[in-house]
Amino acid sequence: MRLGEAETVGEISTMTTVQAKNPVLLLGGDATTLSLARTYGAMGIEVRAVMEAKASAGKSRYLTEHIVIPDGVDPQEYFATVTLSGGSSRVLGSVIIACGDDGVEFVAKNHADLTRQYLLEKNHPRLQLDLLNKEKTLSLAREAGLAIPSFHSVQSLKDIEQVAANLRFPIMLKPHLTFLLYRLRKQKYLLAANDDELYSSARDLLDNNIEFMLCEMIPGPDSQNCSYYTYRLGDGSEYLSLTKRLLRRRPMNQGAGTYQLTENLPDVAQAGKQFFDYIGYRGFGCIEYKRDIRDGSLRVMECNNRFTAVQEQLASAGANAAILAYADITNQPMQPIIGCRSKVAIWSPINDLNAFREVLRRDPKASWSDWWRSLEHRSTVFPFFAWRDPMPFVRALSQQVGRVLKRKLGLTAAQARDLGG
């Protein structure tokens, strides 16, 4: 049976079809994992995912099996248990796709062993590790001739003392590996407004053996953030190109996006191509920028060398790289995706309302009519909700209700967890 998509909608033309040859094993993630599970499951491919018990994607009807990471166990250790410690017969021979940074690091570090029993994304393990490292990413972007925030390497407090006189607050303490701090604090970086906060946060990171850099905070609202997505083959040919912008996120300047919109941004695409051309990238990738309100330049923020939480938005815009990746990994014919829909939004309505409340608190000139006018999407998808697969949204909503009740009623973590499913 031949499966896939062949459609022409406006400027979009995708003709890649694939045969369901190998099962898929997804490592980590949640919204990202859910989108991939829906794509592959609808194509008749068996999909298993190794995730935390609370992951909403575990409720998807398109998921063959949710392999639960036990509480208190390091995800990478459990990835090894599932794949390398004898490897269960039901996962052997699977296409492995990393849906979180810890999965990317696990696959890159164990690439040689994994290739003996599995099919992997066709990227370069050493480069994958470099791109996970936020400081190395900025260094590569600078070498490629792109604008970046100023940053300072830190190995000890002495390194901070040497540059302290030249620092401009606020300043970010940005981990080399974001997921290490996120596990510890549910934050992507720490922000210091003065010397006391700087040294206190630095000691905290050093005490937890989290390597980090001091990084300039580029001024401007979240609406100055934009991204470029690509899928590339080994000869540098590009099979997908898409740009989008982020309007809001929560918390501001740090949290997950609450409203994002695909849009034709030629300068963002040009800068993205320049970066990926320079590093010789292979596979699916995304680079994020922030437009500096001081001079209009695009400053590189980071590179995501994996599928991201907006994959459902990309798929709806006609850029379903999941199909390209499966065809590529299983050595099936591929066709480039020519053009993508603009004004396709991925929206979290409740979180977006709360995000705009934060905008109102910070900007006295803002009003609710600004929020309404900002919703310029022609079509919309949601991180978890889909009529064809409603249970992940039910799980996500129940967990959100549980968190609110815990905060409002002073419930214990166990009580909130019971209420949240």
Side-chain angles (χ1 to χ4, degrees):
M1 179 172 61
R2 295 188 63 77
L3 305 152
E5 57 178 35
E7 62 170 7
T8 301
V9 183
E11 70 274 23
I12 303 165
S13 176
T14 60
M15 297 298 295
T16 294
T17 58
V18 298
Q19 292 182 332
K21 290 185 174 182
N22 298 75
V24 170
L25 181 65
L26 306 173
L27 301 182
D30 198 358
T32 308
T33 307
L34 177 59
S35 180
L36 296 181
R38 285 170 172 167
T39 292
Y40 294 135
M43 294 161 59
I45 297 170
E46 287 188 5
V47 186
R48 294 177 175 84
V50 188
M51 302 178 294
E52 296 179 343
K54 65 181 180 181
S56 298
K59 294 295 185 179
S60 174
R61 72 185 185 92
Y62 292 103
L63 200 63
T64 305
E65 183 182 6
H66 176 189
I67 303 173
V68 176
I69 301 173
D71 289 344
V73 175
D74 181 275
Q76 293 196 39
E77 290 181 8
Y78 200 66
F79 295 157
T81 298
V82 172
T83 60
L84 294 176
S85 299
S88 169
S89 59
R90 66 188 189 280
V91 302
L92 290 175
S94 295
V95 169
I96 291 182
I97 297 178
C99 297
D101 287 352
D102 47 5
V104 172
E105 185 178 58
F106 168 75
V107 173
K109 287 185 173 180
N110 296 277
H111 197 272
D113 290 334
L114 289 169
T115 52
R116 297 188 182 101
Q117 302 178 85
Y118 304 94
L119 298 179
L120 307 181
E121 296 173 85
K122 294 183 177 179
N123 39 42
H124 307 297
R126 181 66 257 172
L127 181 57
Q128 291 294 89
L129 292 173
D130 286 345
L131 292 174
L132 275 182
N133 186 307
K134 304 309 179 187
E135 184 172 330
K136 289 184 178 179
T137 298
L138 291 185
S139 296
L140 287 171
R142 182 171 55 194
E143 292 173 14
L146 298 172
I148 62 171
S150 62
F151 68 92
H152 303 280
S153 300
V154 176
Q155 276 77 46
S156 69
L157 293 179
K158 289 183 178 180
D159 295 318
I160 299 178
E161 293 169 0
Q162 291 175 358
V163 299
N166 298 318
L167 295 178
R168 296 180 63 183
F169 293 104
I171 194 163
M172 292 188 290
L173 292 84
K174 198 167 186 178
H176 291 177
L177 300 177
T178 303
F179 69 89
L180 295 180
L181 178 61
Y182 199 81
R183 284 183 196 168
L184 190 68
R185 300 276 186 270
K186 299 300 180 185
Q187 293 176 271
K188 294 181 178 180
Y189 61 83
L190 302 179
L191 188 64
N194 52 53
D195 284 334
D196 289 342
E197 291 182 5
L198 173 61
Y199 283 101
S200 175
S201 295
R203 290 188 188 96
D204 185 17
L205 293 173
L206 291 169
D207 288 346
N208 284 284
N209 297 314
I210 297 177
E211 297 180 322
F212 68 98
M213 62 178 167
L214 302 182
C215 188
E216 174 189 15
M217 186 82 173
I218 301 298
D222 284 324
S223 58
Q224 299 301 310
N225 286 270
C226 44
S227 305
Y228 165 79
Y229 290 80
T230 188
Y231 196 95
R232 293 173 167 239
L233 302 190
D235 60 3
S237 56
E238 187 171 63
Y239 274 54
L240 177 152
S241 176
L242 178 143
T243 53
K244 71 170 183 64
R245 61 188 176 99
L246 183 150
L247 273 74
R248 285 177 294 278
R249 56 183 171 184
R250 183 173 180 244
M252 189 180 290
N253 291 323
Q254 184 175 20
T258 60
Y259 185 73
Q260 303 180 67
L261 200 65
T262 61
E263 190 170 295
N264 182 27
L265 303 169
D267 60 337
V268 176
Q270 181 179 354
K273 292 175 192 292
Q274 183 175 333
F275 178 75
F276 286 113
D277 282 346
Y278 176 78
I279 65 175
Y281 193 74
R282 177 75 166 88
F284 180 78
C286 159
I287 186 165
E288 298 181 10
Y289 297 91
K290 186 168 185 178
R291 199 177 298 278
D292 194 328
I293 59 174
R294 297 169 295 189
D295 60 10
S297 63
L298 289 169
R299 304 274 175 175
V300 174
M301 294 291 101
E302 62 179 42
C303 178
N304 286 308
N305 47 341
R306 56 171 174 80
F307 290 96
T308 66
V310 300
Q311 174 57 27
E312 198 73 2
Q313 178 190 25
L314 271 59
S316 181
N320 199 338
I323 295 175
L324 289 179
Y326 189 87
D328 192 16
I329 296 167
T330 58
N331 297 314
Q332 299 185 56
M334 301 167 59
Q335 293 293 327
I337 294 174
I338 304 171
C340 299
R341 286 191 201 91
S342 61
K343 306 300 183 185
V344 176
I346 185 163
W347 189 29
S348 301
I350 295 174
N351 287 336
D352 194 45
L353 280 168
N354 288 325
F356 197 77
R357 285 194 179 97
E358 189 174 353
V359 173
L360 291 174
R361 287 195 297 270
R362 299 193 184 199
D363 184 358
K365 296 181 180 180
S367 68
W368 279 111
S369 61
D370 295 327
W371 177 76
W372 182 254
R373 285 195 298 268
S374 74
L375 304 178
E376 51 183 306
H377 48 262
R378 289 204 297 247
S379 61
T380 312
V381 297
F382 307 93
F384 294 100
F385 178 77
W387 286 113
R388 71 187 188 279
D389 185 29
M391 292 310 297
F393 172 74
V394 173
R395 161 67 73 84
L397 181 61
S398 67
Q399 289 178 345
Q400 188 172 28
V401 169
R403 288 191 294 270
V404 171
L405 290 175
K406 177 185 176 183
R407 185 173 64 251
K408 298 291 186 181
L409 303 179
L411 300 179
T412 66
Q415 289 170 326
R417 193 163 52 243
D418 290 342
L419 284 170

